[in-house]
Amino acid sequence: MYKNWNELEEACNNCKKCRLCNSRTKVVIGTGNKNAKIMFIGEGPGADEDSQGIPFVGKAGQLMNKAFEGIGIKREDVYITNIVKCRPPQNRNPEKEEAQSCKEYLDTQIKLINPEIIILLGSVALKNILGEEYGITASRGKWFEKDGKKILPTFHPAALLRDETKKIYFWQDLKMLTKINI
Ligand code: URA
């Protein structure tokens, strides 16, 4: 574990723990409020994120921003990151060893932010945080608890781009957050 944000950012930016370092342009550490009550965890950077160094700025991110606006969540009030901080080539799923190499960074982010609620965006985040046995369709919209944090899995915004019928569920899940004083 890293003691503070400076140590964490320095380690991430120089990271060579897995082979994703060979093809990355920028390390995508995270964005938002470092004292957020709500933290969002996606899968890994795509092409737009890799070139800008900011998570969820591509098509999926724009869709997530729209949902945020619709339900009154401000992107700058929450913290957004990913399971892996470097882009997997061709946007493939991160491999187990890659997620494992990156885990210390995510664990440090969770410790430093200490959010009340963690939203898991999609299957990769779900399986890495709660366990391989969980499936996103059965788990989305349900609350779990782990290490004193409330955990809510929902669909990955990219899944909504592929299948519009999932939008309503994503929306419903995020709407639960409006009851919380963010
Ligand atoms: N998909 C993700 O999982 N994370 C991003 O940052 C962008 C797209």
Side-chain angles (χ1 to χ4, degrees):
M1 286 270 196
Y2 301 88
K3 285 203 280 306
N4 54 48
W5 285 101
N6 281 348
E7 272 191 19
L8 172 72
E9 284 162 13
E10 164 100 19
C12 283
N13 285 325
N14 295 299
C15 185
K16 293 203 160 87
K17 286 201 221 175
C18 84
R19 62 182 171 167
L20 296 183
C21 71
N22 297 321
S23 49
R24 75 172 175 236
T25 309
K26 286 193 175 161
V27 181
V28 181
I29 301 174
T31 187
N33 180 354
K34 289 174 175 166
N35 296 305
K37 278 192 191 167
I38 305 178
M39 180 168 176
F40 287 78
I41 304 177
E43 180 179 318
D48 296 302
E49 291 77 19
D50 176 68
S51 67
Q52 295 184 45
I54 304 167
F56 286 100
V57 289
K59 278 213 174 103
Q62 284 159 23
L63 186 57
M64 193 164 81
N65 290 347
K66 259 197 202 155
F68 280 1
E69 267 168 41
I71 59 176
I73 295 178
K74 290 206 191 84
R75 200 175 141 117
E76 58 271 25
D77 288 343
V78 300
Y79 191 84
I80 305 169
T81 188
N82 284 303
I83 293 289
V84 292
K85 312 306 190 213
C86 296
R87 182 192 182 197
Q90 281 84 49
N91 298 343
R92 63 161 171 75
N93 283 355
E95 287 175 3
K96 265 219 182 86
E97 311 82 70
E98 293 160 355
Q100 194 52 41
S101 303
C102 236
K103 190 166 184 298
E104 197 179 5
Y105 302 138
L106 183 61
D107 286 345
T108 303
Q109 287 174 304
I110 295 172
K111 192 190 78 180
L112 292 174
I113 295 165
N114 194 23
E116 283 174 25
I117 293 170
I118 296 177
I119 310 298
L120 303 177
L121 297 167
S123 166
V124 169
L126 172 66
K127 288 180 186 293
N128 274 285
I129 300 292
L130 288 185
E132 280 296 323
E133 66 275 28
Y134 290 88
I136 192 66
T137 305
S139 306
R140 64 136 283 274
K142 294 185 184 147
W143 289 93
F144 296 83
E145 187 140 353
K146 192 180 178 201
D147 303 330
K149 310 269 180 267
K150 296 187 187 92
I151 313 256
L152 179 69
T154 189
F155 289 125
H156 191 289
L160 317 179
L161 293 168
R162 292 189 295 265
D163 176 3
E164 291 236 331
T165 64
K166 293 197 166 104
K167 276 189 181 170
I168 181 80
Y169 299 108
F170 181 70
W171 195 274
Q172 274 174 11
D173 296 346
L174 292 196
K175 250 199 146 207
M176 288 195 258
L177 301 176
T178 56
K179 298 195 187 95
I180 294 146
N181 191 6
I182 301 169

